[in-house]
Each structure stands twice: as C-alpha cells, then as structure tokens.
Amino acid sequence: MKLVYTIQDLQTELDKCRQLHQTIGFAPTMGALHEGHGSLMIKSVNENNITVASVFVNPTQFNDQNDLLKYPRTLEADCALLEKCGVDFVFVPDVKEMYPEEDTRQFNYAPLDSVMEGAHRPGHFNGVCQIVSKLFDAVMPDKAYFGEKDYQQLAIIKEMVRDLKYPIEIIGCPIIRESDGLALSSRNMRLSDTERENALNISQTLFKSCTFAADHSVNETLEMVKTAINNASGLELEYFEIVDGDTLQPINSWEESSTIMGCITVFCGPVRLIDNIRYK
Ligand code: PAF
C-alpha cells in the first residue's frame, strides 16, 4: 500500500494502472476509520483491480467549526486498517492541495438536499459535493463506494453523478453495526461509557419501529419513535422522518412509495449520531 499526498502523484500512479487496463475502485473517507469503512474497502478490493482510499477531513462540509476541530484524526490506525483490507493507494492531501483557492461552486439538488441533514446543517451537502467532485476528478474511478448510514449523502452523490455526467458507478454499502445494534460511526469514539449505553436506544427504537409499522400508520410510527427517543435517558432527538427512499420527501402512508426509509438524528450528550432503517 502506498501513501500519496498530491493529485499529480496520484494521477501518475493511476495512469500506470489504466495503461494496464486495471479497473479502479474508490472510497472517500474523513479518516477515523472503523469496520464500516473497512466493508467499503473490502467490497472495492473484490470488485476492482485497484482500490484507492482517501483520508481528508473536509473543512467545507462542517457548518460547526467546533465539530471540525474535534473530528478525530487517527492516520496511523487508519492506514493499518486500509492495508489489512487490501487497499492499494491512500490519498492523503492537505487542505491547500484540495482547495488551492476558495471553492465557490454551488450545488443545488433540491429537494434532496433541503430536508433532514440539509435543513439542519446548512451548506453541509454543498461542501460534500465540492470535495467529492474534486476527489472524483483526481481519482477518476470506475466505481465509488459510500455507506448507506449516510443515506441522504448517498442519494445526493448519485444525483451529482447524474448531473455532472461522471462515468462512475456509485455503490451503496449496508450499515455495519456493533453486535448490540449501534451503527458504527467515527463519532462513537467520542461517547463516554454512559453515553455509549444511552446511544443503544437509537438502533433499538428503530428496530422496534419496524415491527410496530406492520400494524400502525406512518404517523403512529413517527410518534412512537419520537416518544421513545424523547423519553430515553441522555438522548435529544433532532429529527426523525419517514421518507420516500428516492426523493427523501416525507410520506403519509405505507402505500405511497416502494422504498421507505426512517432517518434519525439524535444528540447523545454532545455527540450527534445519525442512523436509518428501511421499512420497505
Ligand atoms: O462520508 C464522509 O465521510 C464524507 O462526507 C466524505 C464522503 C468522505 C466527503 O468528505
């Protein structure tokens, strides 16, 4: 596995691979890697000749500077995990490499980016599209891998790829959970023992809501989840929405859509956690 720091060095390496007709898989990350990221890497390694991972904490997608400062940086451990997964190149640019000048591009994928995370983190998805498009331009992969935990991000990246006509196949990969159900997240390492215990209520409530939904309406299911989280110790609900899996717009009945997702964001102490569940 080779670490590469500049776009030029990365392209020199990848041009050699392309000359050998090798296919390239790519998984962008912000580091603080866990087995969820590992699953993206392993899928890419299995489906492509060459796998590139990037580790870059992208400043333009943080609307809260405190969150950016607190974002865990664990490059050595990240590289150990990437190497174990069989990754070939790790692209580790600095901020100047990715943003030699301010990126003033505006990506507008309403209504996908105006609900849920988009409504609560203004500018977040614009920053995500800025960096992912720059990374796509640098890597020019055949396939790119994203986790379904960030379900809305995945939908917006697919839309950006359609819009900008990137010849890249976007592959969504299932949420990886701890054995007790908590969705893996780089933010979990910031949870105290008590917060970690409290956080478990999020996935447990989502799992229960699936059974509940079988004989209750969308509205009743929404209320059930909101009440359970609001009554749980140490948790503060930011939002819970039941949405069409493609448009991400709220639905009113289970018959309305063929893919239905429940998307939740909860503060567990100071740590903001997201999770989701598929009803249909
Ligand atoms: O999902 C993430 O970790 C980030 O949003 C991404 C896609 C690496 C862009 O910075």
Side-chain angles (χ1 to χ4, degrees), residues 14-54:
L14 296 179
D15 281 349
K16 287 186 234 161
C17 302
R18 280 190 200 93
Q19 270 158 24
L20 298 170
H21 303 287
Q22 291 177 310
T23 57
I24 296 169
F26 173 51
T29 82
M30 297 207 299
L33 304 183
H34 48 67
E35 294 304 323
H37 297 106
S39 73
L40 311 186
M41 305 301 159
I42 289 167
K43 194 161 169 60
S44 174
V45 167
N46 287 337
E47 294 183 354
N48 302 279
N49 302 119
I50 297 292
T51 290
V52 181
S54 60

Side-chain angles (χ1 to χ4, degrees), residues 28-30 58 61 128 131-132 146 150 153:
T29 82
M30 297 207 299
N58 173 37
Q61 70 188 76
V128 170
I131 192 60
V132 173
F146 292 84
D150 294 299
Q153 168 172 281

Side-chain angles (χ1 to χ4, degrees), residues 6 39 44 142 233:
T6 65
S39 73
S44 174
D142 299 283
S233 149

Side-chain angles (χ1 to χ4, degrees), residues 9-251:
D9 287 352
L10 180 68
Q11 289 181 336
T12 305
E13 294 290 351
L14 296 179
D15 281 349
K16 287 186 234 161
C17 302
R18 280 190 200 93
Q19 270 158 24
L20 298 170
H21 303 287
Q22 291 177 310
T23 57
I24 296 169
F26 173 51
T29 82
M30 297 207 299
L33 304 183
H34 48 67
E35 294 304 323
H37 297 106
S39 73
L40 311 186
M41 305 301 159
I42 289 167
K43 194 161 169 60
S44 174
V45 167
N46 287 337
E47 294 183 354
N48 302 279
N49 302 119
I50 297 292
T51 290
V52 181
S54 60
V55 175
F56 178 67
V57 182
N58 173 37
T60 71
Q61 70 188 76
F62 285 84
N63 53 329
D64 175 351
Q65 286 310 296
N66 212 23
D67 204 17
L68 170 62
L69 288 175
K70 283 202 182 136
Y71 204 85
R73 284 154 169 91
T74 58
L75 187 60
E76 211 175 300
D78 293 346
C79 286
L81 185 139
L82 294 172
E83 180 134 50
K84 197 177 83 185
C85 295
V87 167
D88 301 281
F89 296 103
V90 190
F91 180 43
V92 196
D94 63 14
V95 174
K96 270 228 163 72
E97 184 67 12
M98 296 317 292
Y99 296 104
E101 65 247 359
E102 194 190 344
D103 189 344
T104 54
R105 291 174 300 160
Q106 290 293 326
F107 295 82
N108 250 311
Y109 295 121
L112 289 181
D113 61 0
S114 50
V115 293
M116 300 192 290
E117 290 301 282
H120 287 88
R121 300 182 69 188
H124 168 67
F125 287 121
N126 199 57
V128 170
C129 289
Q130 287 178 341
I131 192 60
V132 173
S133 61
K134 279 172 178 277
L135 290 167
F136 281 175
D137 292 340
V139 180
M140 293 181 287
D142 299 283
K143 295 183 182 181
Y145 297 79
F146 292 84
E148 285 176 355
K149 186 164 87 64
D150 294 299
Y151 190 85
Q152 188 173 10
Q153 168 172 281
L154 174 61
I156 290 167
I157 300 286
K158 283 182 181 165
E159 190 58 28
M160 183 188 79
V161 162
R162 269 192 292 272
D163 177 36
L164 301 182
K165 302 188 174 50
Y166 279 112
I168 301 172
E169 188 183 344
I170 301 299
I171 316 250
C173 303
I175 298 178
I176 305 293
R177 297 182 180 279
E178 302 276 9
S179 54
D180 61 8
L182 180 70
L184 293 193
S185 162
S186 306
R187 291 162 189 251
N188 292 355
M189 60 176 82
R190 285 172 50 201
L191 297 170
S192 68
D193 289 350
T194 312
E195 287 163 354
R196 169 69 181 76
E197 234 170 81
N198 294 339
L200 192 52
N201 258 308
I202 304 169
S203 53
Q204 282 179 345
T205 303
L206 291 182
F207 299 151
K208 272 188 213 143
S209 78
C210 263
T211 325
F212 186 88
D215 49 12
H216 291 85
S217 69
V218 170
N219 255 333
E220 287 165 340
T221 309
L222 276 170
E223 283 317 308
M224 177 284 214
V225 170
K226 288 180 184 176
T227 308
I229 298 293
N230 284 330
N231 290 340
S233 149
L235 299 185
E236 196 187 316
L237 180 70
E238 189 166 71
Y239 65 80
F240 174 61
E241 305 248 3
I242 298 181
V243 299
D244 176 286
D246 297 319
T247 65
L248 305 186
Q249 301 310 292
I251 52 142

